[in-house]
Amino acid sequence: MFASNPNTRCRDLAALGSVTLLAVALAGCGSKPKDVVTECAYPDAPDTSAPLWICDAPVEGVAVGAMGSHEKSAAGVAFARDQAVASARFRLAQNMRTYVTGMVKQFAETTGAVGQETVDRTNTSVTKQVTDETISGSKVFRSATSPKGTFYVYVGMDETVAKAAAVKALKTSMANDQALWQQWRAEKSQDELAAAIAKSR
């Protein structure tokens, strides 16, 4: 493999060592920190790369969203899609509750309108008003099928639709819990207060 001449053999070994060190250095440069998510895999096919939204990464243009899925069904693709959408909408309602309570909390902190106890009671009241009807403006933004045939969808609402849904939930809560909301109102009407809370996010 190496030349018989001692001087030539030393040069060959030095060159080989340089190549090895260069390879190690390049490998180090190509690695990424473990805490950086660079790819996503299908839950039912972990060896196959999947769109990042399947791993709950944000989707551009979506203020509130959620992923849903349904396994391959003998009833057909349309059935699997409908079930996946239903699953996503259920999770979307949960995420919408978080979205609205974040608005209420931020508005309270910004204005100093009420104390924490009232905020907590208000959030409990508001989240009860986030129903299937509240998220009726949601739509499917993404869809994909895994190698195993599982159907995945990402359902969500853009900023305008999400804030309109939040205002609707807030106003329903105001109508149902007038004594509670009286502590918030000051000089604002229900419409003005709901709009102000929605703008706070």
Side-chain angles (χ1 to χ4, degrees):
M1 178 178 176
F2 297 110
S4 58
N5 184 300
N7 292 332
T8 305
R9 186 162 55 250
C10 288
R11 285 198 304 271
D12 291 341
L13 287 170
L16 180 61
S18 298
V19 170
T20 302
L21 288 172
L22 179 61
V24 170
L26 289 174
C29 291
S31 63
K32 294 180 174 61
K34 291 182 179 179
D35 59 345
V36 176
V37 178
T38 57
E39 62 181 77
C40 173
Y42 288 101
D44 64 326
D47 294 332
T48 304
S49 294
L52 291 177
W53 56 264
I54 285 180
C55 294
D56 291 325
V59 171
E60 185 178 358
V62 180
V64 188
M67 188 272 290
S69 65
H70 194 272
E71 65 277 7
K72 186 176 182 180
S73 171
V77 175
F79 175 81
R81 181 185 185 281
D82 289 346
Q83 295 303 306
V85 170
S87 170
R89 283 174 60 86
F90 176 78
R91 292 184 62 198
L92 177 61
Q94 295 176 315
N95 292 344
M96 186 64 190
R97 292 184 184 101
T98 301
Y99 179 80
V100 180
T101 57
M103 285 181 173
V104 171
K105 182 174 183 292
Q106 187 166 334
F107 181 78
E109 290 176 348
T110 302
T111 61
V114 293
Q116 185 59 48
E117 182 180 352
T118 301
V119 171
D120 292 341
R121 287 171 53 216
T122 302
N123 279 337
T124 298
S125 173
V126 172
T127 56
K128 290 178 181 177
Q129 313 309 322
V130 179
T131 62
D132 286 343
E133 184 182 355
T134 310
I135 59 173
S136 61
S138 62
K139 64 179 182 178
V140 175
F141 281 83
R142 300 282 190 277
S143 64
T145 305
S146 79
K148 298 288 183 66
T150 299
F151 199 89
Y152 294 85
V153 296
Y154 191 89
V155 174
M157 297 182 286
D158 62 28
E159 192 72 35
T160 300
V161 174
K163 287 195 172 182
V167 168
K168 183 175 183 178
L170 288 163
K171 290 171 68 174
T172 302
S173 174
M174 290 174 184
N176 293 342
D177 295 289
Q178 294 184 30
L180 171 62
W181 281 99
Q182 187 62 41
Q183 300 175 55
W184 289 79
R185 288 181 63 178
E187 300 300 320
K188 295 181 183 293
S189 68
Q190 288 186 355
D191 288 350
E192 290 171 329
L193 179 57
I197 292 173
K199 286 179 181 177
S200 68
R201 192 174 180 87

